[in-house]
Amino acid sequence: AQSVTQLDSQVPVFEEAPVELRCNYSSSVSVYLFWYVQYPNQGLQLLLKYLSGSTLVKGINGFEAEFNKSQTSFHLRKPSVHISDTAEYFCAVSDIQGGSEKLVFGKGTKLTVNP
Amino acid sequence: GAVVSQHPSWVICKSGTSVKIECRSLDFQATTMFWYRQFPKQSLMLMATSNEGSKATYEQGVEKDKFLINHASLTLSTLTVTSAHPEDSSFYICSARVAALTNEQFFGPGTRLTVL
């Protein structure tokens, strides 16, 4: 069964600092990978996704992620964060060939950007 | 595009009553919708997968008689929490998948249910 591990439950950073949120997945098959952001009391908004092709994926709000098949990782990065980036971030994975349309989510990383 | 709405955004009800939550895809047809439950400071837990015109598929441990799901059209799925109890209080989020896209799900804004 697939699983997603977000190694850091909380990441505090200062405004304008770079940030990396880590995500590792376990799957023996090809996968689709997603990062979602959730602001308080709201649903999830897609930041970016990896389906195929270039391993460096650029998303909204200046975020990017790199798919590393050998390390089964999909870490999210931003070179300079803003106060408004404070939110919960979820990594998710879905099988390409497993016949399952489900998304498996990690437990989330709470990013707090301090002034 | 790909907007999903939920109604209501929050609801407070008395123990023993039933509550219906609607999930609509506003600008696309969703062959599959998903219902999630999220406890405070936790991840999303998939409750069930809802396919238009057929019975929902529930995840292990989710009571199908407690959480009734109906997907009567390509743009509407409903979740009814029957005989709600305080332990059913949670944040319920739906999502919709477009068949043409690769497993990407578009999420609704969520419904906060509080059972007194």
Side-chain angles (χ1 to χ4, degrees), chain B residues 39-88:
Chain B
F39 292 102
K41 301 185 188 299
Q42 294 189 30
S43 189
L44 280 72
M45 182 192 79
L46 180 65
M47 299 174 65
T49 302
S50 167
N51 290 296
E52 186 267 337
S54 63
K55 290 184 178 180
T57 302
Y58 290 81
E59 295 299 300
Q60 192 172 10
V62 178
E63 299 176 60
K64 57 183 67 177
D65 294 330
K66 172 77 170 175
F67 299 99
L68 301 178
I69 292 172
N70 183 275
H71 194 157
S73 77
L74 287 172
T75 60
L76 173 65
S77 176
T78 60
L79 167 68
T80 302
V81 183
T82 62
S83 187
H85 289 95
E87 57 265 30
D88 298 324

Side-chain angles (χ1 to χ4, degrees), chain A residues 33-44:
Chain A
L33 294 157
F34 306 85
W35 274 99
Y36 287 90
V37 60
Q38 184 181 34
Y39 298 99
N41 296 310
Q42 295 186 29
L44 274 66

Side-chain angles (χ1 to χ4, degrees), chain A residues 27-99:
Chain A
S27 177
S28 59
V29 298
S30 298
V31 295
Y32 297 135
L33 294 157
F34 306 85
W35 274 99
Y36 287 90
V37 60
Q38 184 181 34
Y39 298 99
N41 296 310
Q42 295 186 29
L44 274 66
Q45 179 183 7
L46 181 69
L47 275 178
L48 48 78
K49 60 189 176 187
Y50 172 78
L51 305 179
S52 65
S54 173
T55 57
L56 182 62
V57 180
K58 293 189 182 297
I60 63 171
N61 301 341
F63 284 93
E64 63 181 32
E66 186 155 19
F67 169 57
N68 188 318
K69 187 174 182 179
S70 63
Q71 296 186 5
T72 60
S73 68
F74 191 54
H75 301 332
L76 181 70
R77 296 191 290 261
K78 186 170 182 177
S80 176
V81 294
H82 302 290
I83 298 287
S84 59
D85 292 323
T86 295
E88 190 87 23
Y89 291 80
F90 292 97
C91 180
V93 63
S94 179
D95 270 346
I96 291 178
Q97 298 173 337

Side-chain angles (χ1 to χ4, degrees), chain A residues 38 41-44, chain B residues 4-6 9 91-94 107-111:
Chain A
Q38 184 181 34
N41 296 310
Q42 295 186 29
L44 274 66
Chain B
V4 177
S5 70
Q6 278 184 247
S9 55
F91 194 53
Y92 292 89
I93 304 175
C94 74
F107 286 81
T111 296

